[in-house]
Amino acid sequence: MTGTRRTLAVLFLLPALVLLGALVVYPVGYSVVRSFYDRSGDSFAGLDNYRALFTDDGIRTALRNNVVWVVFAPAVATALGLVFAVLTERVRWATAFKLVVFMPMAISMLAAGIIFRLVYDQAPEKGVANAVWVGVHDTFVTSSAFPRAHPGRDSPLEAAGGGAFVTKLPVRAGVPVALPLVGVAPDRLPDGTGPAAAARPEEGGITGTVWQDFTRGRGSGTLNAVDASEVGYAGMRIEAVRDGEVVASTRAAGDGTFSLPAAADGALLRLPADNFQEPYNGLDWLGPSLVTPAIIGSYVWMWAGFAMVLIGAGLAGVPRELLEAARVDGAGEWQVFRRITVPLLAPVLAVVTVTLMINVLKVFDLVFIIAPGSSQDDANVLALELYRKGFAADQPGVASAIAVFLLLLVVPVMWFNVRRLRREARR
């Protein structure tokens, strides 16, 4: 009877064993063997392919980034999952909240990569991340309305260094000053802008006009003179400078006119550089310095729900009488969380963290899709480098060595996880 049962068990397991051998054992064995051969696969290369793991710049960058991934991504995802799991026990709409947090797990890595490629777009009108960042920035720092304004030909203004412009000659009281500029698109002019007006002389004071000296139509308009169709630069800041010090300052009205007190007589008029600063365009999320943290952020967005569900299941098994006893003894909520909840959840937290560590060691899709070509080298990870060496660079031997190295990194972590699960099962 026992022999019959064993035979039946083997027969039932045989299809799975065949698939396991064909899809796992054979590829692993072939990769190990192939890692010792050269590019053609005909000559034995020894450990040359493994030496490349520590001498090739691309592989070393990938290895360094994998360390960053293993250290930060599982820790942040687990921490957020713990916070979400604890907080959802205190709200009425816990089920809806869990659904929203877990929903990204239903999205494929490909779809998530495309979503976050758009989220991290540099243009604030496209990328959500920069739209929010620029919105917060502009709440506290006002952007210039004249970022590309500059003097035209034969202008009475000249560059003063640092992006500012200054009059070539000192100004005199009673003589209107013309400060013509060009270069601002009509749709970028600030609110309150109106038709430019020529300034009237003011006895004892300095008056003038700062305006867009441009009239549509070839040959139209008079150079360095206010024409009927031209508009003033409302809000432009003008400073009177003498011996390097600002003696007076003002801002232009809607028609571009301005006036300064008698103290400006004999001074040079300066248009400060802050009139012409480019508008803040946010952060280069997918640039060389931020691309890895940005991609890790998208990974955490996807996997925090997974951590929350597992930790929530563990939290449901925590004896409530222990928590209540601690509160009766005068412990605050933070003390209960830190000294009771977290220690009791330590086995679950360890399983979640180790599972995510195994997952991030194999991360490929998000990096491949989100990182643009210009910064993909900076965001490189081992799984992506394996793909690049095997298919783009035609170095199957090195790619096999990377695959074996990844296997060696994953196996101890998997062994630790399985051992812990077995230990928990015995309890």
Side-chain angles (χ1 to χ4, degrees):
M1 190 68 178
T2 304
T4 304
R5 287 182 176 179
R6 287 180 180 176
T7 302
L8 286 174
V10 171
L11 289 175
F12 278 111
L13 288 174
L14 188 59
L17 291 175
V18 171
L19 287 175
L20 186 65
L23 300 178
V24 178
V25 178
Y26 173 74
V28 169
Y30 180 81
S31 296
V32 172
V33 173
R34 187 67 181 83
S35 67
F36 292 102
Y37 284 83
D38 64 359
R39 176 178 297 182
S40 64
D42 299 325
S43 301
F44 186 74
L47 297 176
D48 289 348
N49 292 327
Y50 288 94
R51 292 193 188 98
L53 298 179
F54 306 99
T55 57
D56 185 277
D57 290 338
I59 299 177
R60 286 193 296 180
T61 300
L63 184 58
R64 184 170 58 250
N65 285 339
N66 263 102
V67 172
V68 174
W69 271 87
V70 169
V71 171
F72 290 101
V76 175
T78 304
L80 279 178
L82 175 61
V83 172
F84 290 157
V86 172
L87 292 181
T88 49
E89 289 199 334
R90 300 174 176 273
V91 294
R92 294 180 181 177
W93 34 272
T95 303
F97 180 80
K98 289 179 181 179
L99 178 64
V100 171
V101 175
F102 189 76
M103 194 177 294
M105 285 294 300
I107 302 174
S108 68
M109 287 282 194
L110 172 64
I114 294 173
I115 290 170
F116 275 89
R117 183 67 180 267
L118 296 173
V119 168
Y120 291 132
D121 196 287
Q122 177 68 40
E125 61 271 16
K126 295 180 181 178
V128 174
N130 263 344
V132 174
W133 193 266
V134 170
V136 173
H137 175 274
D138 290 349
T139 300
F140 301 97
V141 181
T142 304
S143 298
S144 168
F146 318 102
R148 293 180 177 83
H150 59 275
R153 57 190 177 91
D154 300 328
S155 174
L157 292 165
E158 62 182 0
F165 300 104
V166 67
T167 55
K168 298 176 182 178
L169 299 173
V171 295
R172 297 298 175 190
V175 179
V177 182
L179 302 178
L181 295 169
V182 295
V184 179
D187 60 343
R188 296 297 302 272
L189 288 169
D191 296 335
T193 296
R200 297 180 179 180
E202 184 178 304
E203 186 176 353
I206 304 297
T207 59
T209 305
V210 55
W211 82 103
Q212 176 124 304
D213 189 23
F214 176 79
T215 302
R216 290 183 178 276
R218 188 173 181 180
S220 301
T222 304
L223 187 64
N224 297 334
V226 177
D227 295 303
S229 61
E230 295 171 349
V231 295
Y233 278 177
M236 175 73 75
R237 183 174 177 80
I238 303 101
E239 297 176 342
V241 181
R242 181 184 293 111
D243 298 328
E245 294 184 1
V246 178
V247 296
S249 65
T250 188
R251 289 190 180 274
D255 59 1
T257 59
F258 62 89
S259 63
L260 290 164
D265 187 22
L268 296 174
L269 295 190
R270 181 175 66 188
L271 304 180
D274 57 8
N275 285 316
F276 312 105
Q277 290 177 348
E278 291 285 342
Y280 184 67
N281 206 35
L283 297 176
D284 187 7
W285 295 100
L286 299 182
S289 58
L290 291 178
V291 63
T292 295
I295 299 174
I296 290 176
S298 66
Y299 176 89
V300 170
W301 175 77
M302 290 192 67
W303 287 87
F306 167 81
M308 178 194 67
V309 170
L310 291 188
I311 295 171
L315 193 61
V318 173
R320 301 297 158 175
E321 55 270 16
L322 292 178
L323 304 180
E324 294 302 326
R327 294 188 180 102
V328 170
D329 288 340
E333 291 300 323
W334 171 245
Q335 290 178 311
V336 172
F337 174 77
R338 185 167 60 92
R339 295 181 178 275
I340 298 178
T341 305
V342 173
L344 290 175
L345 288 175
V348 178
L349 295 176
V351 170
V352 172
T353 304
V354 172
T355 302
L356 293 178
M357 287 174 64
I358 296 171
N359 189 268
V360 300
L361 282 171
K362 303 179 295 179
V363 68
F364 165 80
D365 317 60
L366 288 177
V367 180
F368 183 71
I369 297 166
I370 296 177
S374 58
S375 58
Q376 198 170 85
D377 289 341
D378 300 284
N380 200 9
V381 290
L382 286 174
L384 177 59
E385 186 63 15
L386 185 158
Y387 168 82
R388 296 170 70 177
K389 291 294 186 188
F391 296 96
D394 191 24
Q395 297 181 27
V398 177
S400 298
I402 296 174
V404 174
F405 183 65
L406 267 177
L407 178 65
L408 294 176
L409 291 177
V410 170
V411 166
V413 183
M414 291 180 62
W415 174 80
F416 173 82
N417 210 17
V418 171
R419 185 180 178 186
R420 176 172 285 277
L421 288 172
R422 286 179 176 174
R423 190 184 306 158
E424 292 298 322
R426 292 194 196 101
R427 292 179 184 178

